[in-house]
């Protein structure tokens, strides 16, 4: 089995500055720009699998790692929810940028938790690919192009085959939900999905709402996750 945590780093790499437009129009530009930067592999999967252009993870998310970023944001949202705080709303002043910090070891989001296992990290990646496909913009031609570019970014072997399967198969939301056995895992699964996309379309917003409902996340907790993720994204 390949190292799922390493692959996850590629899904949460920073956006390539200046890359806009469709996957089909801009994938070549993304590849060239990434080749000119030392973090090329860390940027490509996010660009090619649908995260909206002009947004990136703020603070030290890349420094602490993709899995720690998901866990840290999920923990922060969960902690605020449990404390009874009110999440920021779109009508409020922009919240201060969230510093992405690793969660405490004993929090249920820490390094010893089930959410840190290689098996569950694969689930998180599946959830991110499912979110990227939610608006239906990845057709057969674009999927082939994505796979070509992912291979050019040094993703190969089992990892590339895994991505190809996930792109070609219908989303199995039942399997995603069933794999999240703890409340912390459910929070992380939704957080990873929300990090992948900006829900600008009805399809994307509908998918996230369906996922939250199937995971049994309270509306207030979802609001906290939304606010925490939004505050950790910055405009380029």
């Amino acid at each position: 089995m390949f190292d799922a945590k390493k692959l996850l780093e590629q899904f949460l790499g920073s956006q390539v500055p200046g890359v806009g437009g469709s996957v089909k129009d801009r994938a070549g530009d993304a590849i060239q720009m990434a080749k000119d930067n030392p973090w090329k592999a860390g940027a490509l999967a996010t660009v090619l699998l649908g995260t909206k252009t002009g947004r990136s993870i703020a603070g030290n998310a890349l420094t602490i790692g993709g899995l720690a970023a998901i866990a840290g944001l999920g923990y922060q949202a969960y902690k605020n929810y449990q404390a009874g705080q009110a999440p920021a709303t779109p009508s409020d002043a922009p919240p201060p940028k969230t510093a992405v910090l690793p969660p405490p070891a004993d929090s249920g989001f820490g390094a010893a938790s089930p959410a840190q296992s290689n098996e569950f990290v694969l689930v998180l990646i599946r959830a991110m690919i499912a979110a990227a496909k939610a608006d239906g913009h990845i057709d057969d031609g674009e999927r082939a192009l994505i796979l070509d570019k992912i291979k050019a970014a040094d993703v190969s072997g089992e990892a590339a085959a895994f991505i190809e399967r996930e792109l070609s198969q219908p989303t199995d939301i039942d399997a995603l939900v069933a794999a999240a056995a703890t409340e912390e895992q459910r929070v992380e699964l939704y957080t990873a999905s929300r990090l992948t996309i900006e829900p600008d379309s009805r399809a994307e917003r509908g998918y996230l709402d369906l996922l939250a409902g199937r995971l049994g996340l309270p509306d207030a907790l979802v609001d906290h996750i939304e606010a925490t993720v939004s505050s950790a994204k910055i405009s380029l």
Side-chain angles (χ1 to χ4, degrees):
M1 175 58 68
F2 62 89
D3 186 344
K5 293 181 182 180
K6 181 178 179 181
L7 183 61
L8 183 59
E9 304 304 315
Q10 297 176 295
F11 277 78
L12 280 181
S14 287
Q15 284 282 11
V16 176
V19 177
S22 71
V23 171
K24 186 176 296 183
D25 293 338
R26 295 297 187 174
D29 292 342
I31 281 287
Q32 186 56 55
M33 295 180 72
K35 284 182 177 178
D36 294 335
N37 288 275
W39 40 264
K40 63 174 184 178
L44 284 173
T46 307
V47 172
L48 297 179
L49 290 179
T51 299
K52 295 297 184 290
T53 303
R55 310 287 284 185
S56 66
I57 307 302
N60 60 343
L62 293 179
T63 302
I64 68 172
L67 180 57
I70 292 173
L73 290 170
Y75 167 73
Q76 185 64 42
Y78 191 62
K79 182 179 70 171
N80 291 342
Y81 163 72
Q82 288 191 315
Q85 297 181 19
T89 65
S91 60
D92 294 335
K97 300 304 181 205
T98 296
V100 185
L101 301 174
D106 60 351
S107 65
F109 292 87
S113 72
Q116 300 280 321
S117 68
N118 198 71
E119 290 77 12
F120 189 69
V121 175
L122 285 178
V123 174
L124 293 179
I125 297 173
R126 287 189 177 102
M128 295 172 76
I129 295 175
K133 295 190 298 183
D135 66 355
H137 80 280
I138 301 178
D139 59 23
D140 290 342
E142 288 172 330
R143 182 167 63 248
L145 182 61
I146 288 169
L147 293 172
D148 285 343
K149 301 310 179 183
I150 285 176
K151 290 175 183 177
D154 302 324
V155 179
S156 59
E158 286 185 88
F162 168 78
I163 294 173
E164 182 173 7
R165 286 195 305 272
E166 293 303 314
L167 283 170
S168 61
Q169 295 176 159
T171 296
D172 187 349
I173 196 168
D174 291 333
L176 292 177
V177 170
T182 68
E183 190 164 25
E184 291 85 0
Q185 286 178 316
R186 291 190 284 273
V187 168
E188 288 195 24
L189 197 151
Y190 185 86
T191 299
S193 301
R194 178 60 180 82
L195 276 170
T196 307
I197 57 175
E198 288 299 311
D200 296 331
S201 70
R202 288 184 180 181
E204 289 169 325
R205 182 71 265 169
Y207 175 78
L208 289 175
D209 289 344
L210 174 63
L211 180 62
R214 294 293 301 277
L215 289 169
L217 299 177
D219 289 346
L221 177 53
V222 173
D223 290 343
H224 273 288
I225 297 171
E226 293 279 342
T228 303
V229 169
S230 294
S231 71
K233 288 188 173 186
I234 58 174
S235 296
L236 292 176

